[in-house]
mmCIF file of all heavy atoms in Angstrom:
data_model
loop_
_atom_site.group_PDB
_atom_site.id
_atom_site.type_symbol
_atom_site.label_atom_id
_atom_site.label_comp_id
_atom_site.label_asym_id
_atom_site.label_seq_id
_atom_site.Cartn_x
_atom_site.Cartn_y
_atom_site.Cartn_z
ATOM 1 N N THR S 1 0.781 -1.263 -0.028
ATOM 2 C CA THR S 1 -0.011 0.009 -0.014
ATOM 3 C C THR S 1 0.857 1.167 -0.017
ATOM 4 O O THR S 1 0.359 2.337 -0.191
ATOM 5 C CB THR S 1 -0.924 0.024 1.211
ATOM 6 O OG1 THR S 1 -0.124 -0.038 2.463
ATOM 7 C CG2 THR S 1 -1.908 -1.206 1.243
ATOM 8 N N GLU S 2 2.208 1.159 0.108
ATOM 9 C CA GLU S 2 3.036 2.282 0.248
ATOM 10 C C GLU S 2 4.211 2.251 -0.678
ATOM 11 O O GLU S 2 4.754 1.165 -0.979
ATOM 12 C CB GLU S 2 3.593 2.444 1.694
ATOM 13 C CG GLU S 2 2.369 2.675 2.758
ATOM 14 C CD GLU S 2 2.885 2.743 4.191
ATOM 15 O OE1 GLU S 2 4.163 2.351 4.297
ATOM 16 O OE2 GLU S 2 2.180 3.124 5.075
ATOM 17 N N ASN S 3 4.651 3.353 -1.111
ATOM 18 C CA ASN S 3 5.853 3.417 -1.932
ATOM 19 C C ASN S 3 7.100 3.393 -1.017
ATOM 20 O O ASN S 3 7.619 4.460 -0.748
ATOM 21 C CB ASN S 3 5.699 4.625 -2.781
ATOM 22 C CG ASN S 3 6.890 4.775 -3.763
ATOM 23 O OD1 ASN S 3 7.640 3.872 -4.008
ATOM 24 N ND2 ASN S 3 7.150 5.848 -4.421
ATOM 25 N N ILE S 4 7.525 2.193 -0.765
ATOM 26 C CA ILE S 4 8.684 2.046 0.157
ATOM 27 C C ILE S 4 9.706 1.043 -0.460
ATOM 28 O O ILE S 4 9.445 0.379 -1.586
ATOM 29 C CB ILE S 4 8.246 1.529 1.447
ATOM 30 C CG1 ILE S 4 7.591 0.173 1.295
ATOM 31 C CG2 ILE S 4 7.336 2.509 2.145
ATOM 32 C CD1 ILE S 4 7.229 -0.515 2.644
ATOM 33 N N THR S 5 10.876 0.910 0.213
ATOM 34 C CA THR S 5 11.780 0.005 -0.035
ATOM 35 C C THR S 5 11.691 -1.268 0.814
ATOM 36 O O THR S 5 11.661 -0.972 2.130
ATOM 37 C CB THR S 5 13.204 0.484 -0.117
ATOM 38 O OG1 THR S 5 13.264 1.447 -1.149
ATOM 39 C CG2 THR S 5 14.199 -0.734 -0.514
ATOM 40 N N ILE S 6 11.627 -2.415 0.499
ATOM 41 C CA ILE S 6 11.396 -3.551 1.442
ATOM 42 C C ILE S 6 12.846 -4.372 1.603
ATOM 43 O O ILE S 6 13.617 -4.409 0.595
ATOM 44 C CB ILE S 6 10.346 -4.486 1.099
ATOM 45 C CG1 ILE S 6 10.599 -5.169 -0.226
ATOM 46 C CG2 ILE S 6 8.966 -3.835 1.017
ATOM 47 C CD1 ILE S 6 9.578 -6.395 -0.639
ATOM 48 N N SER S 7 12.896 -4.956 2.719
ATOM 49 C CA SER S 7 14.151 -5.814 2.999
ATOM 50 C C SER S 7 13.523 -7.221 3.283
ATOM 51 O O SER S 7 12.662 -7.270 4.140
ATOM 52 C CB SER S 7 14.890 -5.318 4.200
ATOM 53 O OG SER S 7 16.023 -6.102 4.527
ATOM 54 N N VAL S 8 14.106 -8.192 2.481
ATOM 55 C CA VAL S 8 13.507 -9.573 2.712
ATOM 56 C C VAL S 8 14.684 -10.417 3.197
ATOM 57 O O VAL S 8 15.748 -10.647 2.670
ATOM 58 C CB VAL S 8 13.179 -10.112 1.384
ATOM 59 C CG1 VAL S 8 12.569 -11.632 1.550
ATOM 60 C CG2 VAL S 8 12.074 -9.307 0.768
ATOM 61 N N SER S 9 14.501 -10.788 4.477
ATOM 62 C CA SER S 9 15.456 -11.682 5.201
ATOM 63 C C SER S 9 14.826 -13.179 5.203
ATOM 64 O O SER S 9 13.833 -13.429 5.733
ATOM 65 C CB SER S 9 15.765 -11.270 6.636
ATOM 66 O OG SER S 9 16.451 -12.256 7.418
ATOM 67 N N THR S 10 15.856 -14.103 4.776
ATOM 68 C CA THR S 10 15.444 -15.518 4.684
ATOM 69 C C THR S 10 16.432 -16.217 5.579
ATOM 70 O O THR S 10 17.632 -16.347 5.256
ATOM 71 C CB THR S 10 15.348 -16.062 3.264
ATOM 72 O OG1 THR S 10 14.487 -15.296 2.518
ATOM 73 C CG2 THR S 10 14.882 -17.463 3.318
ATOM 74 N N LYS S 11 16.012 -16.861 6.645
ATOM 75 C CA LYS S 11 16.851 -17.525 7.589
ATOM 76 C C LYS S 11 16.635 -19.088 7.668
ATOM 77 O O LYS S 11 15.323 -19.378 7.730
ATOM 78 C CB LYS S 11 16.721 -17.057 9.071
ATOM 79 C CG LYS S 11 16.972 -15.456 9.092
ATOM 80 C CD LYS S 11 16.662 -14.958 10.549
ATOM 81 C CE LYS S 11 16.984 -13.579 10.704
ATOM 82 N NZ LYS S 11 16.590 -13.016 12.128
ATOM 83 N N VAL S 12 17.539 -19.802 7.357
ATOM 84 C CA VAL S 12 17.424 -21.346 7.431
ATOM 85 C C VAL S 12 17.753 -21.793 8.761
ATOM 86 O O VAL S 12 18.874 -21.366 9.342
ATOM 87 C CB VAL S 12 18.300 -21.992 6.380
ATOM 88 C CG1 VAL S 12 18.096 -23.472 6.337
ATOM 89 C CG2 VAL S 12 17.704 -21.505 4.936
ATOM 90 N N CYS S 13 16.994 -22.572 9.391
ATOM 91 C CA CYS S 13 17.231 -23.117 10.732
ATOM 92 C C CYS S 13 17.312 -24.602 10.854
ATOM 93 O O CYS S 13 16.404 -25.227 10.070
ATOM 94 C CB CYS S 13 16.208 -22.569 11.869
ATOM 95 S SG CYS S 13 16.146 -20.857 11.939
ATOM 96 N N SER S 14 18.275 -25.184 11.550
ATOM 97 C CA SER S 14 18.290 -26.535 11.726
ATOM 98 C C SER S 14 18.329 -26.855 13.203
ATOM 99 O O SER S 14 19.090 -26.308 13.965
ATOM 100 C CB SER S 14 19.521 -27.217 11.036
ATOM 101 O OG SER S 14 19.610 -28.565 11.307
ATOM 102 N N PHE S 15 17.493 -27.762 13.766
ATOM 103 C CA PHE S 15 17.267 -27.957 15.136
ATOM 104 C C PHE S 15 17.116 -26.648 15.906
ATOM 105 O O PHE S 15 17.694 -26.544 17.065
ATOM 106 C CB PHE S 15 18.353 -28.788 15.741
ATOM 107 C CG PHE S 15 18.455 -30.138 15.213
ATOM 108 C CD1 PHE S 15 19.023 -30.557 14.019
ATOM 109 C CD2 PHE S 15 17.662 -31.135 15.823
ATOM 110 C CE1 PHE S 15 19.055 -31.790 13.545
ATOM 111 C CE2 PHE S 15 17.659 -32.526 15.428
ATOM 112 C CZ PHE S 15 18.326 -32.798 14.212
ATOM 113 N N GLY S 16 16.407 -25.742 15.409
ATOM 114 C CA GLY S 16 16.165 -24.477 16.029
ATOM 115 C C GLY S 16 17.336 -23.464 16.091
ATOM 116 O O GLY S 16 17.275 -22.334 16.660
ATOM 117 N N LYS S 17 18.349 -23.821 15.388
ATOM 118 C CA LYS S 17 19.576 -22.914 15.261
ATOM 119 C C LYS S 17 19.661 -22.372 13.862
ATOM 120 O O LYS S 17 19.658 -23.134 12.850
ATOM 121 C CB LYS S 17 20.923 -23.656 15.628
ATOM 122 C CG LYS S 17 20.864 -24.333 17.050
ATOM 123 C CD LYS S 17 20.728 -23.273 18.160
ATOM 124 C CE LYS S 17 20.644 -24.007 19.549
ATOM 125 N NZ LYS S 17 20.529 -23.020 20.609
ATOM 126 N N GLN S 18 20.044 -21.110 13.803
ATOM 127 C CA GLN S 18 20.144 -20.440 12.440
ATOM 128 C C GLN S 18 21.456 -20.942 11.848
ATOM 129 O O GLN S 18 22.533 -20.869 12.443
ATOM 130 C CB GLN S 18 20.136 -18.966 12.548
ATOM 131 C CG GLN S 18 20.307 -18.230 11.190
ATOM 132 C CD GLN S 18 20.194 -16.709 11.332
ATOM 133 O OE1 GLN S 18 19.369 -16.226 12.023
ATOM 134 N NE2 GLN S 18 21.188 -15.989 10.754
ATOM 135 N N VAL S 19 21.395 -21.452 10.523
ATOM 136 C CA VAL S 19 22.665 -21.866 9.920
ATOM 137 C C VAL S 19 23.007 -20.928 8.641
ATOM 138 O O VAL S 19 24.286 -20.962 8.303
ATOM 139 C CB VAL S 19 22.519 -23.262 9.403
ATOM 140 C CG1 VAL S 19 22.281 -24.215 10.587
ATOM 141 C CG2 VAL S 19 21.280 -23.455 8.536
ATOM 142 N N VAL S 20 22.037 -20.291 8.078
ATOM 143 C CA VAL S 20 22.479 -19.352 7.036
ATOM 144 C C VAL S 20 21.307 -18.362 6.899
ATOM 145 O O VAL S 20 20.197 -18.547 7.231
ATOM 146 C CB VAL S 20 22.628 -20.151 5.749
ATOM 147 C CG1 VAL S 20 21.293 -20.723 5.287
ATOM 148 C CG2 VAL S 20 23.113 -19.258 4.671
ATOM 149 N N GLU S 21 21.634 -17.165 6.409
ATOM 150 C CA GLU S 21 20.552 -16.030 6.198
ATOM 151 C C GLU S 21 20.997 -15.375 4.970
ATOM 152 O O GLU S 21 22.235 -15.141 4.594
ATOM 153 C CB GLU S 21 20.696 -15.092 7.391
ATOM 154 C CG GLU S 21 19.712 -13.790 7.184
ATOM 155 C CD GLU S 21 19.712 -12.919 8.276
ATOM 156 O OE1 GLU S 21 20.682 -12.831 9.039
ATOM 157 O OE2 GLU S 21 18.829 -12.165 8.333
ATOM 158 N N LYS S 22 19.956 -14.990 4.164
ATOM 159 C CA LYS S 22 20.187 -14.290 2.989
ATOM 160 C C LYS S 22 19.329 -13.120 3.034
ATOM 161 O O LYS S 22 18.031 -13.148 3.410
ATOM 162 C CB LYS S 22 19.739 -15.193 1.710
ATOM 163 C CG LYS S 22 19.920 -14.434 0.390
ATOM 164 C CD LYS S 22 19.566 -15.343 -0.792
ATOM 165 C CE LYS S 22 19.778 -14.634 -2.149
ATOM 166 N NZ LYS S 22 19.522 -15.600 -3.288
ATOM 167 N N VAL S 23 19.738 -11.865 2.752
ATOM 168 C CA VAL S 23 19.069 -10.626 2.828
ATOM 169 C C VAL S 23 18.890 -9.945 1.386
ATOM 170 O O VAL S 23 19.982 -9.843 0.790
ATOM 171 C CB VAL S 23 19.623 -9.607 3.872
ATOM 172 C CG1 VAL S 23 18.943 -8.284 3.853
ATOM 173 C CG2 VAL S 23 19.747 -10.305 5.195
ATOM 174 N N GLU S 24 17.820 -9.591 0.901
ATOM 175 C CA GLU S 24 17.585 -8.980 -0.432
ATOM 176 C C GLU S 24 16.763 -7.693 -0.145
ATOM 177 O O GLU S 24 16.044 -7.547 0.837
ATOM 178 C CB GLU S 24 16.927 -9.992 -1.309
ATOM 179 C CG GLU S 24 17.727 -11.197 -1.566
ATOM 180 C CD GLU S 24 16.896 -12.216 -2.373
ATOM 181 O OE1 GLU S 24 16.073 -12.910 -1.591
ATOM 182 O OE2 GLU S 24 17.061 -12.405 -3.523
ATOM 183 N N THR S 25 17.072 -6.735 -1.089
ATOM 184 C CA THR S 25 16.226 -5.451 -1.195
ATOM 185 C C THR S 25 15.513 -5.375 -2.436
ATOM 186 O O THR S 25 15.997 -5.745 -3.448
ATOM 187 C CB THR S 25 17.330 -4.340 -0.988
ATOM 188 O OG1 THR S 25 17.979 -4.455 0.313
ATOM 189 C CG2 THR S 25 16.497 -3.053 -1.064
ATOM 190 N N GLU S 26 14.305 -4.822 -2.308
ATOM 191 C CA GLU S 26 13.432 -4.638 -3.467
ATOM 192 C C GLU S 26 12.740 -3.243 -3.447
ATOM 193 O O GLU S 26 12.270 -2.904 -2.358
ATOM 194 C CB GLU S 26 12.532 -5.836 -3.758
ATOM 195 C CG GLU S 26 11.680 -5.771 -4.856
ATOM 196 C CD GLU S 26 12.396 -5.752 -6.206
ATOM 197 O OE1 GLU S 26 13.548 -6.397 -6.259
ATOM 198 O OE2 GLU S 26 11.937 -5.188 -7.221
ATOM 199 N N TYR S 27 12.632 -2.600 -4.559
ATOM 200 C CA TYR S 27 11.946 -1.340 -4.720
ATOM 201 C C TYR S 27 10.498 -1.476 -5.263
ATOM 202 O O TYR S 27 10.197 -2.481 -5.949
ATOM 203 C CB TYR S 27 12.757 -0.289 -5.464
ATOM 204 C CG TYR S 27 14.202 -0.207 -5.026
ATOM 205 C CD1 TYR S 27 15.227 -0.965 -5.384
ATOM 206 C CD2 TYR S 27 14.374 0.819 -4.005
ATOM 207 C CE1 TYR S 27 16.573 -0.769 -4.938
ATOM 208 C CE2 TYR S 27 15.734 1.033 -3.491
ATOM 209 C CZ TYR S 27 16.739 0.192 -3.902
ATOM 210 O OH TYR S 27 18.030 0.373 -3.511
ATOM 211 N N ALA S 28 9.737 -0.601 -4.823
ATOM 212 C CA ALA S 28 8.320 -0.596 -5.294
ATOM 213 C C ALA S 28 8.228 -0.162 -6.763
ATOM 214 O O ALA S 28 8.826 0.743 -7.235
ATOM 215 C CB ALA S 28 7.480 0.244 -4.407
ATOM 216 N N HIS S 29 7.215 -0.792 -7.451
ATOM 217 C CA HIS S 29 6.846 -0.471 -8.773
ATOM 218 C C HIS S 29 5.366 -0.233 -8.905
ATOM 219 O O HIS S 29 4.596 -1.107 -8.554
ATOM 220 C CB HIS S 29 7.290 -1.499 -9.829
ATOM 221 C CG HIS S 29 8.668 -1.797 -9.725
ATOM 222 N ND1 HIS S 29 9.773 -1.067 -10.464
ATOM 223 C CD2 HIS S 29 9.486 -2.808 -9.184
ATOM 224 C CE1 HIS S 29 10.968 -1.565 -10.234
ATOM 225 N NE2 HIS S 29 10.785 -2.591 -9.373
ATOM 226 N N LEU S 30 4.859 0.977 -9.201
ATOM 227 C CA LEU S 30 3.484 1.320 -9.259
ATOM 228 C C LEU S 30 2.883 0.577 -10.456
ATOM 229 O O LEU S 30 3.121 0.839 -11.572
ATOM 230 C CB LEU S 30 3.238 2.739 -9.254
ATOM 231 C CG LEU S 30 1.779 3.247 -9.163
ATOM 232 C CD1 LEU S 30 1.046 2.813 -7.929
ATOM 233 C CD2 LEU S 30 1.755 4.761 -9.372
ATOM 234 N N GLU S 31 1.855 -0.259 -10.269
ATOM 235 C CA GLU S 31 1.094 -0.989 -11.251
ATOM 236 C C GLU S 31 -0.321 -1.036 -10.855
ATOM 237 O O GLU S 31 -0.685 -1.671 -9.869
ATOM 238 C CB GLU S 31 1.681 -2.447 -11.544
ATOM 239 C CG GLU S 31 3.157 -2.434 -11.864
ATOM 240 C CD GLU S 31 3.632 -3.883 -11.984
ATOM 241 O OE1 GLU S 31 2.756 -4.743 -12.078
ATOM 242 O OE2 GLU S 31 4.916 -4.049 -12.172
ATOM 243 N N GLY S 32 -1.215 -0.476 -11.708
ATOM 244 C CA GLY S 32 -2.673 -0.549 -11.465
ATOM 245 C C GLY S 32 -3.048 -0.008 -10.070
ATOM 246 O O GLY S 32 -4.049 -0.624 -9.586
ATOM 247 N N GLY S 33 -2.543 1.080 -9.626
ATOM 248 C CA GLY S 33 -2.743 1.689 -8.370
ATOM 249 C C GLY S 33 -2.255 0.888 -7.169
ATOM 250 O O GLY S 33 -2.481 1.334 -5.996
ATOM 251 N N LYS S 34 -1.368 -0.113 -7.398
ATOM 252 C CA LYS S 34 -0.756 -0.821 -6.223
ATOM 253 C C LYS S 34 0.765 -0.792 -6.393
ATOM 254 O O LYS S 34 1.262 -0.726 -7.550
ATOM 255 C CB LYS S 34 -1.255 -2.294 -6.129
ATOM 256 C CG LYS S 34 -2.783 -2.469 -5.974
ATOM 257 C CD LYS S 34 -3.141 -3.909 -5.932
ATOM 258 C CE LYS S 34 -4.657 -4.076 -5.734
ATOM 259 N NZ LYS S 34 -5.022 -5.512 -5.779
ATOM 260 N N TYR S 35 1.341 -0.849 -5.339
ATOM 261 C CA TYR S 35 2.937 -0.902 -5.399
ATOM 262 C C TYR S 35 3.376 -2.407 -5.335
ATOM 263 O O TYR S 35 2.983 -3.153 -4.362
ATOM 264 C CB TYR S 35 3.447 -0.157 -4.094
ATOM 265 C CG TYR S 35 3.217 1.238 -4.294
ATOM 266 C CD1 TYR S 35 2.170 1.851 -3.542
ATOM 267 C CD2 TYR S 35 3.961 2.097 -5.077
ATOM 268 C CE1 TYR S 35 1.985 3.220 -3.603
ATOM 269 C CE2 TYR S 35 3.715 3.470 -5.143
ATOM 270 C CZ TYR S 35 2.733 4.092 -4.409
ATOM 271 O OH TYR S 35 2.570 5.308 -4.528
ATOM 272 N N MET S 36 3.977 -2.824 -6.477
ATOM 273 C CA MET S 36 4.408 -4.289 -6.573
ATOM 274 C C MET S 36 5.869 -4.326 -6.222
ATOM 275 O O MET S 36 6.706 -3.548 -6.579
ATOM 276 C CB MET S 36 4.100 -4.715 -8.001
ATOM 277 C CG MET S 36 2.684 -4.524 -8.483
ATOM 278 S SD MET S 36 1.455 -5.466 -7.436
ATOM 279 C CE MET S 36 2.011 -7.121 -7.908
ATOM 280 N N PHE S 37 6.230 -5.545 -5.614
ATOM 281 C CA PHE S 37 7.538 -5.911 -5.246
ATOM 282 C C PHE S 37 7.729 -7.226 -5.824
ATOM 283 O O PHE S 37 7.132 -8.238 -5.486
ATOM 284 C CB PHE S 37 7.820 -5.869 -3.705
ATOM 285 C CG PHE S 37 7.432 -4.530 -3.183
ATOM 286 C CD1 PHE S 37 6.142 -4.361 -2.697
ATOM 287 C CD2 PHE S 37 8.351 -3.559 -2.850
ATOM 288 C CE1 PHE S 37 5.737 -3.059 -2.170
ATOM 289 C CE2 PHE S 37 8.084 -2.386 -2.264
ATOM 290 C CZ PHE S 37 6.695 -2.109 -1.915
ATOM 291 N N ARG S 38 8.847 -7.429 -6.666
ATOM 292 C CA ARG S 38 9.131 -8.770 -7.129
ATOM 293 C C ARG S 38 10.654 -9.137 -6.968
ATOM 294 O O ARG S 38 11.585 -8.288 -7.266
ATOM 295 C CB ARG S 38 8.942 -8.775 -8.780
ATOM 296 C CG ARG S 38 7.441 -8.692 -8.996
ATOM 297 C CD ARG S 38 7.184 -8.791 -10.601
ATOM 298 N NE ARG S 38 5.801 -8.645 -11.020
ATOM 299 C CZ ARG S 38 5.131 -7.589 -11.184
ATOM 300 N NH1 ARG S 38 5.744 -6.457 -11.152
ATOM 301 N NH2 ARG S 38 3.842 -7.686 -11.505
ATOM 302 N N ILE S 39 10.770 -10.368 -6.561
ATOM 303 C CA ILE S 39 12.179 -10.958 -6.323
ATOM 304 C C ILE S 39 12.157 -12.098 -7.433
ATOM 305 O O ILE S 39 11.479 -13.066 -6.949
ATOM 306 C CB ILE S 39 12.506 -11.225 -4.885
ATOM 307 C CG1 ILE S 39 12.504 -9.994 -4.109
ATOM 308 C CG2 ILE S 39 13.908 -11.955 -4.862
ATOM 309 C CD1 ILE S 39 12.824 -10.224 -2.604
#
């Protein structure tokens, strides 16, 4: 609903412990009155 920049953090856990994390950034694109984010 907003023209912002999002941060997407993906954490993989094994037995409840974090083993790896990947962080990505995506900017908004206005399409049909909505702000779309695509990775």
Side-chain angles (χ1 to χ4, degrees):
T1 60
E2 300 176 347
N3 184 13
I4 59 174
T5 302
I6 62 171
S7 175
V8 182
S9 166
T10 304
K11 301 175 181 179
V12 177
C13 299
S14 178
F15 290 92
K17 304 296 182 182
Q18 180 177 315
V19 293
V20 66
E21 179 182 15
K22 184 176 184 178
V23 179
E24 298 169 280
T25 299
E26 183 60 27
Y27 301 92
H29 303 277
L30 185 61
E31 297 178 15
K34 298 178 181 179
Y35 294 101
M36 305 298 295
F37 305 85
R38 292 185 178 88
I39 299 177

